[in-house]
Structures are given as C-alpha cells and as structure tokens.
Amino acid sequence: MQAIKRKKQKEKIIEGFFLICAFVAVVSVLAITVFVFYNGLKPFVSNSYPLWDFLTGVEWRPGSNMYGIFYMIVGSIFATFGAILIGVPVAILTAVYISELAGSRIGKIIRFAVELLAGIPSVLYGVFGLGIIVPYVLKISPNAQGESLLATIMVLAIMILPTVVSISETSISVVPKEYREGSYALGASKIQTIFKVVLPAARSGIMTGVILGIGRAIGETMAVMLVCGNPIAGIPTSLFDQIRPLTTNIALEMGYASGVHQELLYSTGVVLFIFIMIINLAVNKLVKAKVGS
Amino acid sequence: MSRKVSDLLTKGIIYLATGITLSVLLFIVGFIFIKGIGLVNWDFLTRDFNEKVVYAFIESNDVSLSLDEETLNGKMPFDKRYETHLEGPIYIENIGAAIAKVAYKNHSTEREQVVITYIEKDSPFDSAKDSTGKNITIGTDYILQSINGTDFSGMTLAEVAETISAESGELKIKIVQPGGGIKSNIITTLYMVLLSLLVALPLGIFGAIYLTEYAKPGRLVNMIRFAAECLAGIPSIIFGLFGMAFFVVALNFQISLISGSLTVAIILLPVIIRSTEEALKTVPMAFREGSLALGATKLQTIFKVVLPCAVPGIATAVLLSIGRVVGESAALLLTAGTVAQIPGTLFSPGSTLTVQAYYVAKEEGNIELACAIGIVIIVIVIVLNILSRITSDKLDVFNKK
C-alpha cells in the first residue's frame, strides 16, 4: 500500500515537471511581451520623448534627438503590400499546379523545391538581392542607388512564396473530392472547377497562408536590411525610393545604442509587435472559423 | 470553343507561375554557387577569418628544388584575394621554399606582400616552431614579412630572396597566417546548435508529452497551445530584442554564446513541441492500452512504449531545429555578436555562419565571400532536408503496418 502510494506520488511529481516544461512556452511569451513593452514604453511614461512625435515623425536622427518612425511604418506596409501583391498570385497558382495539375512525381519534386526555398536562410535572400536585384533596379532607377522599395518588394515576394505555397497547397488538397466530381458532372472543365469550386472552398486556408506570409514579410529583417537602403528620413513616394522598415531600424542600431535611443528602439519593437499580434489574432480567428464550419 | 481557349490560357498562366517559383529557387541557388564556388576550398573551411601574425623559428638547412622551373612557376596558389601576381616565384634553398610577390585586393596592412608559393619536401618549414617551442604549420599562401629583424617592405623580390639566402642557423621569420576562412564560424554554429538543443529539446519534448499524454482538453491546454503558436509567429528580431533585454542586460550574460543559444532555444520551442506532439499522436492508442493492461504505470508506458515509437518524429524535430539555428541571424546578431572567433567560454561572443555572411555582405560589401559562406549553409540545409524526409518517412511506415 505504502509502495503504491509512493509510486503514485512520484508519478504526480513527474507529471508536474512535464507541466512546467509545457508552461515554459507560456512564460516565454509573457516574458517577451513584458520585457519588450516595459523597455519600449519607458520613454513615453517617463516623458523623455513624446509618443506623438515618435509615431508621426518622419526623421530618425539620434544625433539631434529626433526619433520619428512614421516613415518606417509606411515603408514596412508598402513593402509588405507590394510583396503580397506579387508573391501571393504566383504562390497560389503554384499550389494549384502541385495539387491539381501535376502528376505525383513532378508534384513531389516541386514540393521539395518549395521546402528547400523555405529552408534557405533569410541572409542568403539578402545576399542574392544585393548581388542581382539591386544592380538591376539601379539600371532602371532614376536614383543613384539600387537599394529601394522595389528591391525590397522583390526579395520579400520571393521569401513569402514557400509559406503561401505550402499552406495553400495543404488546404486545396483537403477539399473533398465530391466537390470536384459534382462540378465535373455539371459539365464544368477542370480549370473552371479549380477556380469556381476548389479555390473558393479552400479560401480560409489560403487566407491563413496569405496572412502568415504578411507576418513573414513584415517581420523579415536580415534580407531586407541588405536591400532597402535604410535612409534616415523620408516617406517613400516612388518604387525607387529607399525605405527603412521597422525591423531593420532595430537591427541596425541596437548594437551601439544607449539611453533614450536604445529605449526607442524597443518602442520600435513594440510597434512591430503590435502589428504581429494583430496578424496572429487574425490567423487564430481564421483557423477557428475553419474548424467551426 | 471560347472556353477551351480561356482554359488553355489559364493553364498557361498556372504553368508560368510554377515556372517562376522553380526558377527563382534555381536562380538563387545557382547565383550563390556560381558566385561563391571559386572561394570554397579546404583552406576556406579550415582557416580563421582574421589573419594572425606569428613568429616562426626554423633551422636553416639547404634543400634543393625537386621540380623543374615550369612546374614551379605553375605553383601559384589560387586565391581570389590576389589582385595581381607581381614577381617570382623564386626558389630559396636554405628555407626550402619558393616565394613570390603579389598584390592583394583588400589587405589590411599593405597591398604588396611576399607569399610562399611552394614548400619543398623536408623543408625546414616542416619543423617550424613558435616562440613557445610549439610546432606550427606553415603552408603555401602564408605571408613573409621579416627575417631576423630585417623587414621586407619596400624590397624587390630578388632582394628579399638575397636577404633570406644570406641568413643561416636559426631563423626568426615574421609570418602572417592568411585569414578569410570560416573555421571559427563553423565551430560557433556547432556550439550554438548543441547548446540550444540541450536546452530546448528536453523542454519541448516533455512539454509535448504533457500536452498529448496528460492534459485534459480545457483552458490550460488551449493557453499553452496558443502560446506556442504565438512564439512561432513572433519574428526573430523581436526574440533578439528580448534576448538583449533579458539575457544580455538583465542577467548580465553580455553578448555571448550563452545569450545567443538561450534566445535561440526559445525560438526552437514551438518547432520541437509541435513536431513531437505530431509524432506522439501517431503512436496508436492500442500500444498504450496494451502497456497499461500489462500493469505498467503511465510513466513507464510513456518512456518504454510511446517515446521509443515516436523517435523518428523527434529526430525530425531535431533536424528542423538544426536547420532553424543554422538559418537564424537577426536574433543572434543582437545576442551573440559579429566577432569571428571561436568562443573560448560560454560568455564570449562569436558569429555563426549566417551572421558572418550578413557581416561580410553588409560591412565589407564582399558578395563573393558571402556567397561562399552561403554555399556551406545551403549544403547543410539540403542535407538536413533530405535527412528529415527520411526520418519522417520512417514514422509513416509505422502507421502503414
């Protein structure tokens, strides 16, 4: 009796240990949120820099105490939007090809290629952008440098491909066969079936892929840092203008910043974090909606 | 008729899109290989990134040249860092080696340098020692800067050869070990992989065990799942910010191997939890019931029955995690630094391959070198991809039975 009790106790203790391990994820999320927000909100709470100037300023000159990130927010959004505009159609059509048109062997090869594309570290996309895309942009650009919004959009469009392809492909392949058969029975062609029946049925999965793609594009740092130009001021007005997304602002200056400058880099992180949280919540909603239907 | 045409057109567009996706991959990989392959060789993998000045002590000893002149002239070490080859090579008997003068593309001290182009068998260089009496290796491509206090700068190659020939007995030669290699980055990456897995693997696996084997569906589980999902969605620069605020500053670990690997461990958590969970779920319920029916406790069932069955899935998680660490850069840039050195302790900084690739591309504008590092990274990624395919197939086999 005693032995069994002890055994049970031991099992309970270990179960508790497992729970703690599982809880590390929760603690990490909380810690990340708390640390980033605490450091990022400090300058506004202690009034060392006005929040309004931070959010609406269009110049980032740490030397002369000017820290405006509005032009960075605009740059981030433009770059992400452009990347989605170019990358998403290509990605969805590729997913359609893999799951609807390709034979199983070719499908496998392309799937492997997409996985490989997902595995290439972002720095290498940046190196590729710097070595190929930037010089090409320079050729057609009226400006003196090739680092630009356009180059950033191109690099990001490539980078979101694997995310959107793989999630769209999964959601297309779970569309029930009966939908397709029903459509064929009504005399629709294969292409009509794909665009009128299969894609609408896979809509929410594809949307999840697109939103995750947006998340990847807005959070991307290293690749973008090499091709965006990182100007200290100015809202981009043309595709050839340089931009300075939120992420690169942090990565560029965190190494040597101190005082208010450093705190405001954390604030930049807070703004980025809020964007990401909105995206995460949207994904969560979509996934739940799908489960619900 | 018109439907046929529009279908054909749409099909064409689909093919085009797939073609774009594929060609983008080929283009990127091709670009990196073509640009970088010229720099990838054994020296590149085994040398330090920074050059190092050493004093070599050798006993002069006449060794005659075993090659004819033409072969000797052909023995210029192939190195893209040379801009031009200026003079030589000239063979010098008392050191048993040939030297030449070359101009470097971007050398930190002086452009024109005297380098060793060939070392004869049984050359005194084979038994070179440093000032503490330790053996050191000296190879072709090493730069000679002075002998017994006589500096070579400003001399022609013939004068250098004359100066060296005139010396005898013990020679003290100032030598620069060429840099440009990525040995330290490879080792730092390895350390980073090992340390972060050491932390994240047990946490992730045990966490996944809790979620699949113990937890009853409810608020707690939802919360943990949601947290893991959130972690997966946070961009790595935010992890970097957190690592900087928490590990580097609050815990005062400085920018170091330990700060970097702990930050990366958090990034790995969701990957490991998710893959382990998937693997545990594929283990048929009957296995557990069988074990429990035999009188095993829950814990025994988990460790003796369920986990062994899930090993291929966990192996996949490990492979994915390695890929993630190798590819990670933004978080490590802020927490582990950009110093190209082998970290001596947990608390010294070091840059991984990806961070180094970024550094040389951004700070030095050296695309070729970045691509050469990229080749190493891509090879690692491809190998990991293939391995994880094999391990996840193993998991499927078990279900098909």
Side-chain angles (χ1 to χ4, degrees):
Chain A
M1 206 52 198
Q2 200 69 20
I4 291 174
K5 211 175 176 186
R6 205 168 304 144
K7 222 176 186 177
K8 266 205 167 147
Q9 232 166 18
K10 195 180 131 203
E11 296 245 331
K12 266 271 168 281
I13 291 172
I14 293 183
E15 186 186 336
F17 173 68
F18 287 164
L19 174 62
I20 292 173
C21 289
F23 228 75
V24 170
V26 181
V27 174
S28 304
V29 172
L30 290 178
I32 290 170
T33 316
V34 168
F35 266 88
V36 173
F37 273 75
Y38 173 76
N39 282 298
L41 296 181
K42 234 192 315 192
F44 312 123
V45 174
S46 67
N47 270 331
S48 46
Y49 199 79
L51 178 62
W52 184 248
D53 290 3
F54 176 70
L55 288 178
T56 57
V58 291
E59 275 177 81
W60 182 271
R61 298 180 200 275
S64 40
N65 202 32
M66 287 168 82
Y67 304 96
I69 63 159
F70 184 68
Y71 77 103
M72 300 181 200
I73 298 177
V74 173
S76 274
I77 291 175
F78 279 5
T80 305
F81 186 72
I84 294 295
L85 213 61
I86 297 176
V88 165
V90 175
I92 292 177
L93 292 177
T94 305
V96 165
Y97 178 76
I98 296 176
S99 52
E100 299 291 311
L101 298 178
S104 75
R105 258 195 62 199
I106 296 176
K108 231 178 192 168
I109 293 171
I110 300 176
R111 221 172 276 141
F112 186 73
V114 171
E115 266 170 41
L116 205 60
L117 207 53
I120 295 177
S122 58
V123 170
L124 297 186
Y125 285 102
V127 171
F128 170 75
L130 194 59
I132 295 278
I133 297 174
V134 167
Y136 269 101
V137 172
L138 183 59
K139 271 187 199 160
I140 54 166
S141 168
N143 297 351
Q145 358 66 22
E147 285 94 344
S148 58
L149 176 59
L150 181 62
T152 312
I153 287 175
M154 299 301 284
V155 169
L156 286 177
I158 296 173
M159 293 186 74
I160 61 166
L161 279 180
T163 312
V164 184
V165 170
S166 62
I167 293 176
S168 307
E169 193 233 315
T170 317
S171 57
I172 290 174
S173 58
V174 297
V175 173
K177 227 175 159 185
E178 290 78 12
Y179 285 28
R180 297 184 181 84
E181 283 159 0
S183 165
Y184 294 147
L186 290 171
S189 70
K190 186 156 197 170
I191 297 291
Q192 283 175 324
T193 307
I194 290 171
F195 284 93
K196 300 264 160 71
V197 178
V198 177
L199 285 185
R203 200 178 42 217
S204 78
I206 294 173
M207 253 335 261
T208 311
V210 172
I211 295 178
L212 285 176
I214 295 176
R216 175 143 197 209
I218 211 164
E220 181 47 51
T221 313
M222 303 301 274
V224 169
M225 192 140 74
L226 291 169
V227 298
C228 66
N230 301 302
I232 50 167
I235 292 176
T237 52
S238 93
L239 280 173
F240 300 108
D241 280 355
Q242 299 189 323
I243 58 162
R244 183 184 179 111
L246 295 163
T247 49
T248 68
N249 186 42
I250 303 169
L252 275 174
E253 297 186 353
M254 204 61 208
Y256 60 84
S258 59
V260 180
H261 182 192
Q262 193 185 42
E263 284 166 6
L264 286 165
L265 289 176
Y266 279 102
S267 316
T268 315
V270 169
V271 175
L272 179 64
F273 205 140
I274 291 171
F275 273 112
I276 296 291
M277 278 203 280
I278 294 171
I279 290 167
N280 268 349
L281 284 176
V283 170
N284 210 307
K285 270 257 158 64
L286 268 175
V287 172
K288 272 211 184 113
K290 203 167 75 177
V291 171
S293 73
Chain B
M1 197 63 205
S2 81
R3 186 173 90 172
K4 243 185 189 160
V5 172
S6 76
D7 277 9
L8 217 63
L9 261 172
T10 325
K11 226 176 201 171
I13 294 172
I14 294 177
Y15 285 137
L16 184 72
T18 313
I20 290 174
T21 306
L22 277 185
S23 51
V24 156
L25 173 74
L26 289 179
F27 206 44
I28 292 178
V29 174
F31 166 77
I32 286 171
F33 269 80
I34 291 167
K35 228 20 207 219
I37 198 74
L39 284 177
V40 178
N41 52 37
W42 187 245
D43 286 342
F44 174 69
L45 298 175
T46 54
R47 276 180 188 167
D48 283 331
F49 186 75
N50 298 311
E51 26 188 67
K52 204 166 91 190
V53 179
V54 284
Y55 282 96
F57 294 87
I58 64 172
E59 202 62 45
S60 72
N61 178 24
D62 284 1
V63 182
S64 50
L65 180 63
S66 65
L67 306 174
D68 56 70
E69 203 166 321
E70 204 178 319
T71 326
L72 181 68
N73 286 340
K75 287 245 180 228
M76 288 301 292
F78 176 71
D79 193 321
K80 280 208 169 174
R81 286 167 303 149
Y82 298 160
E83 203 167 73
T84 44
H85 158 223
L86 301 173
E87 295 174 68
I90 301 179
Y91 183 76
I92 305 168
E93 288 208 327
N94 67 336
I95 56 169
I99 56 172
K101 199 168 210 183
V102 297
Y104 272 90
K105 261 181 196 162
N106 37 15
H107 192 257
S108 48
T109 45
E110 226 178 297
R111 275 186 59 230
E112 293 182 11
Q113 297 284 357
V114 176
V115 299
I116 301 175
T117 61
Y118 172 69
I119 296 183
E120 186 57 71
K121 223 178 272 161
D122 303 320
S123 149
F125 275 127
D126 285 353
S127 47
K129 294 186 172 26
D130 68 1
S131 53
T132 61
K134 253 194 350 206
N135 282 325
I136 50 173
T137 16
I138 288 165
T140 53
D141 212 17
Y142 281 44
I143 299 166
L144 301 184
Q145 289 194 321
S146 76
I147 183 163
N148 291 353
T150 318
D151 199 280
F152 296 152
S153 59
M155 286 189 188
T156 63
L157 189 69
E159 286 168 344
V160 172
E162 227 167 88
T163 317
I164 296 175
S165 304
E167 301 284 340
S168 62
E170 197 191 46
L171 310 176
K172 180 188 175 195
I173 305 179
K174 186 179 174 190
I175 283 182
V176 180
Q177 278 181 7
I182 53 166
K183 182 178 88 180
S184 57
N185 307 111
I186 293 178
I187 293 177
T188 308
T189 309
L190 215 64
Y191 281 166
M192 204 61 85
V193 168
L194 288 176
L195 281 172
S196 52
L197 278 180
L198 203 67
V199 178
L201 208 53
L203 284 176
I205 292 179
F206 292 147
I209 290 179
Y210 182 81
L211 286 176
T212 46
E213 305 294 321
Y214 288 96
K216 292 163 198 77
R219 263 205 150 142
L220 188 71
V221 179
N222 284 345
M223 190 163 84
I224 296 172
R225 286 244 162 77
F226 180 69
E229 263 163 43
C230 277
L231 274 186
I234 294 176
S236 75
I237 187 74
I238 300 275
F239 284 104
L241 269 183
F242 167 70
M244 183 120 190
F246 187 63
F247 299 120
V248 176
V249 177
L251 297 182
N252 203 16
F253 286 168
Q254 306 300 334
I255 290 188
S256 63
L257 190 59
I258 184 94
S259 300
S261 51
L262 289 174
T263 309
V264 175
I266 301 178
I267 299 179
L268 295 185
L269 264 187
V271 180
I272 297 175
I273 292 181
R274 191 180 299 162
S275 334
T276 311
E277 251 194 291
E278 294 297 322
L280 292 176
K281 276 184 197 155
T282 62
V283 180
M285 218 47 191
F287 284 30
R288 297 185 181 82
E289 286 157 0
S291 165
L292 291 172
L294 287 172
T297 63
K298 188 159 195 176
L299 206 60
Q300 286 169 328
T301 306
I302 289 170
F303 279 99
K304 301 258 164 76
V305 178
V306 180
L307 269 188
C309 288
V311 162
I314 295 171
T316 312
V318 171
L319 293 168
L320 284 177
S321 309
I322 297 176
R324 200 67 207 263
V325 184
V326 171
E328 186 49 61
S329 43
L332 289 177
L333 182 72
L334 297 188
T335 54
T338 53
V339 190
Q341 62 168 26
I342 300 172
T345 67
L346 284 178
F347 297 95
S348 35
S351 63
T352 60
L353 287 166
T354 33
V355 175
Q356 190 67 25
Y358 160 76
Y359 187 79
V360 296
K362 176 88 179 160
E363 305 296 329
E364 296 177 4
N366 193 342
I367 303 273
E368 280 173 7
L369 188 52
C371 286
I373 300 172
I375 292 177
V376 178
I377 299 172
I378 288 183
V379 169
I380 297 175
V381 168
I382 292 179
V383 169
L384 289 172
N385 250 327
I386 293 173
L387 283 180
S388 73
R389 214 142 245 272
I390 295 171
T391 54
S392 59
D393 281 351
K394 281 237 165 76
L395 196 68
D396 284 344
V397 161
F398 161 81
N399 253 1
K400 276 176 205 150
K401 260 191 230 167

